[in-house]
Amino acid sequence: MEQENPGSAVKAKQGRDATCGESHGLWWAEASIWTDRMVSALGNGVRGGKWFSLIDKVIRPATLDIAWQRVARNKGAAGVDGQSIERFFHQSERYLAELQASLVDGGYRPNPVKRVEIPKGDGKTRPLGIPTVKDRIVQTALKMVIEPIFEVQFRPGSFGFRPGRGCKDALREVDRLLKEGYTHVVDADLKSYFDTIPHDRLMVLVEGSISDSRVLALIDGFLQQEIMSEMAHWQPTTGTPQGAVLSPLLANLYLHPLDRLMEQGGWRMVRYADDFVILCASEAEAAAALRQVTAWVHANGLTLHPDKTRIGDCLQPGQGFEFLGYRFEAGQRFVRDRSLMAFKDKVRAKTGRSRGDSLGRIVADLNPLMRGWFGYFKHARPYVFRILDGFVRRRLRAVLRKQDRRPSMGRSKADHMQWTNAFFAGQGLFTLVTACEDARHPR
């Protein structure tokens, strides 16, 4: 069952090759769970449209072992119990056996979620929930079992946290629609989406496809997990914590009816998790789409951010929109200001003047960051690459000046003569301008 995303490079790795002999198209699904027989049932439909008897697939030892391997690969911090991936690893067989026994006898209860605040890059913070290792294993096992049931229902305009899809696919779709003339854009922002999803309405959507009471109880238990933040703790009545394994799937599920509403109304919406834009042919069409979205959002217990939701003709200067790190305006793509600030902050962190490493080691530390950043933002206006190359070299010159025990003098002509652009190129520094030229004129 192929994904409805012909632009994704991952589609080339579907079918038998991607599943080590399995012939179905769900290349990403765990083959030991989603056999050809079950995949066939996905395509043909199940009795009553709901899936029964799924808990045995979640709690069997083989599923939990695969889930543990995935959790271990993802690493991550310890939860409220202080147990790290490394500590779990040393006695993983015993811990997995205990976990499986508690799931079988019904004694399993999720631990509280550890809540931390992570910087967003604009001076604000985003709450992140860190479940314990054991809870991450159970959530991963659950996800492996239930994700295909919902994934085959999700719409082509949804790109976030879905197998074989990503930010670049969403950006390509936006670019395609803009080139086709859909330049009047509804730029919408859901306020604190992950923290405000109503639990009861979310569970109704889950129950629309799953009737296994024990699976439903596990999902509901994770939604009701107590949250601990330093000395405070509380039980949430809404939301699904960012950082939990199940959160992206459940968040996509809650917005799935909005995807269908937009599709049925003929609106062209591109959504990545809770970040979405609706591209229209006229201002009147955009206004009508915004009215539809506003009505749906209010009816489903969510809130549009009043200061971040707007309509604009992105061909006009000053009326562009931001999406997934880019700014689309006046027919061109720019790197949005927050993305530039985040990049510069990362460079500053690696090029502190008091850093005692050699230039070669600093360059080796910088290059992966530079390559990854260019790989994502290479479609932006080229002028930004020259500016950022200059910024990186200034930071490196400041480090070298400090190592020479010379006073800080800002931008000095002597520094440029001693440590020229060619000097840094000779040290192997990745150059954004050169990468841009190579991409435009491949040899």
Side-chain angles (χ1 to χ4, degrees):
M1 199 166 298
E2 291 190 347
Q3 302 292 299
E4 298 179 62
N5 181 23
S8 175
V10 187
K11 279 198 67 179
K13 191 182 176 185
Q14 290 193 3
R16 186 176 298 275
D17 291 341
T19 55
C20 301
E22 292 291 331
S23 59
H24 60 69
L26 289 175
W27 53 269
W28 47 271
E30 175 52 47
S32 64
I33 299 171
W34 285 93
T35 61
D36 282 342
R37 180 171 172 271
M38 287 187 66
V39 172
S40 178
L42 271 179
N44 298 328
V46 292
R47 184 177 300 176
K50 297 186 179 184
W51 288 77
F52 297 83
S53 303
L54 296 173
I55 191 64
D56 61 307
K57 298 170 180 61
V58 174
I59 66 177
R60 65 189 181 191
T63 302
L64 294 175
D65 185 59
I66 296 169
W68 153 239
Q69 293 174 32
R70 295 189 180 186
V71 170
R73 282 199 302 269
N74 291 334
K75 300 181 180 179
V80 295
D81 61 355
Q83 186 175 56
S84 64
I85 294 292
E86 291 75 16
R87 282 182 56 192
F88 192 98
F89 172 79
H90 291 302
Q91 298 191 58
S92 59
E93 289 188 15
R94 178 169 73 86
Y95 288 141
L96 288 173
E98 292 173 353
L99 183 58
Q100 200 259 345
S102 67
L103 287 165
V104 169
D105 65 24
Y108 170 78
R109 296 292 183 274
N111 289 287
V113 174
K114 180 181 179 181
R115 183 164 180 156
V116 298
E117 300 288 334
I118 57 174
K120 292 173 60 175
D122 56 357
K124 299 180 181 178
T125 60
R126 184 192 308 277
L128 179 70
I130 305 176
T132 63
V133 174
K134 288 184 178 181
D135 289 344
R136 297 207 293 270
I137 292 170
V138 177
Q139 288 195 38
T140 301
L142 259 176
K143 185 184 177 189
M144 288 193 298
V145 172
I146 70 173
E147 185 174 28
I149 296 171
F150 299 112
E151 177 60 31
V152 296
Q153 303 174 34
F154 290 161
R155 309 314 305 150
S158 169
F159 292 89
F161 306 107
R162 294 184 59 191
R165 292 174 161 233
C167 293
K168 291 184 179 180
D169 298 303
L171 290 167
R172 276 193 287 268
E173 180 65 4
V174 167
D175 194 55
R176 180 185 72 81
L177 290 169
L178 290 174
K179 288 177 179 176
E180 290 183 2
Y182 300 100
T183 59
H184 291 267
V185 180
V186 178
D187 185 7
D189 185 88
L190 291 171
K191 190 175 182 180
S192 303
Y193 172 63
F194 281 84
D195 289 334
T196 57
I197 301 173
H199 290 170
D200 54 347
R201 296 178 182 180
L202 175 58
M203 286 305 299
V204 168
L205 292 174
V206 176
E207 292 163 7
S209 298
I210 295 175
S211 284
D212 188 313
S213 60
R214 293 186 63 187
V215 166
L216 294 173
L218 277 176
I219 297 172
D220 189 57
F222 285 121
L223 291 177
Q224 304 295 334
Q225 274 178 288
E226 191 175 51
I227 296 175
M228 297 186 67
S229 177
E230 296 181 346
M231 299 302 293
H233 60 91
W234 67 94
Q235 185 168 2
T237 57
T238 60
T240 175
Q242 295 186 68
V245 178
L246 280 176
S247 287
L249 175 62
L250 296 177
N252 271 333
L253 177 61
Y254 198 71
L255 290 179
H256 174 57
L258 177 61
D259 295 338
R260 288 190 305 179
L261 177 66
M262 292 292 100
E263 189 178 87
Q264 291 165 2
W267 315 115
R268 297 154 193 87
M269 183 168 80
V270 181
R271 182 173 67 80
Y272 191 94
D274 60 329
D275 194 0
F276 64 89
V277 291
I278 306 168
L279 296 99
C280 306
S282 67
E283 184 177 357
E285 184 182 339
L290 180 56
R291 286 194 296 270
Q292 284 265 27
V293 170
T294 301
W296 186 91
V297 165
H298 290 168
N300 286 273
L302 303 174
T303 305
L304 285 174
H305 199 297
D307 300 326
K308 298 181 180 179
T309 301
R310 51 184 291 276
I311 292 174
D313 178 359
C314 68
L315 291 182
Q316 303 302 317
Q319 294 190 39
F321 66 96
E322 295 181 352
F323 187 60
L324 299 179
Y326 279 93
R327 180 169 181 81
F328 295 81
E329 185 171 328
Q332 300 185 73
R333 274 204 222 183
F334 302 86
V335 180
R336 71 172 182 173
D337 291 343
R338 281 173 55 188
S339 299
L340 286 174
M341 290 171 56
F343 174 76
K344 288 183 176 182
D345 286 344
K346 290 177 181 176
V347 171
R348 290 187 184 100
K350 294 178 181 295
T351 56
R353 287 196 302 139
S354 59
R355 179 169 176 173
D357 293 326
S358 67
L359 179 63
R361 181 166 295 183
I362 296 173
V363 167
D365 199 16
L366 274 174
N367 279 347
L369 168 65
M370 304 275 283
R371 288 193 182 94
W373 194 89
F374 177 78
Y376 187 80
F377 286 107
K378 61 185 176 183
H379 299 293
R381 281 284 305 275
Y383 80 94
V384 73
F385 303 134
R386 190 173 303 279
I387 293 172
L388 293 177
D389 278 339
F391 170 77
V392 171
R393 286 191 291 262
R394 285 197 302 275
R395 296 290 303 178
L396 292 176
R397 288 187 182 106
V399 172
L400 293 171
R401 201 164 53 230
K402 175 76 170 181
Q403 291 177 355
D404 276 4
R405 297 182 180 179
R406 289 164 48 191
S408 176
M409 297 181 294
R411 302 187 191 185
S412 166
K413 185 176 180 179
D415 288 345
H416 281 264
M417 293 177 65
Q418 180 173 356
W419 300 302
T420 63
N421 295 355
F423 167 79
F424 290 113
Q427 296 295 314
L429 179 67
F430 182 85
T431 308
L432 296 170
V433 169
T434 302
C436 181
E437 292 172 351
D438 289 345
R440 293 188 170 202
H441 307 288
R443 298 167 185 169

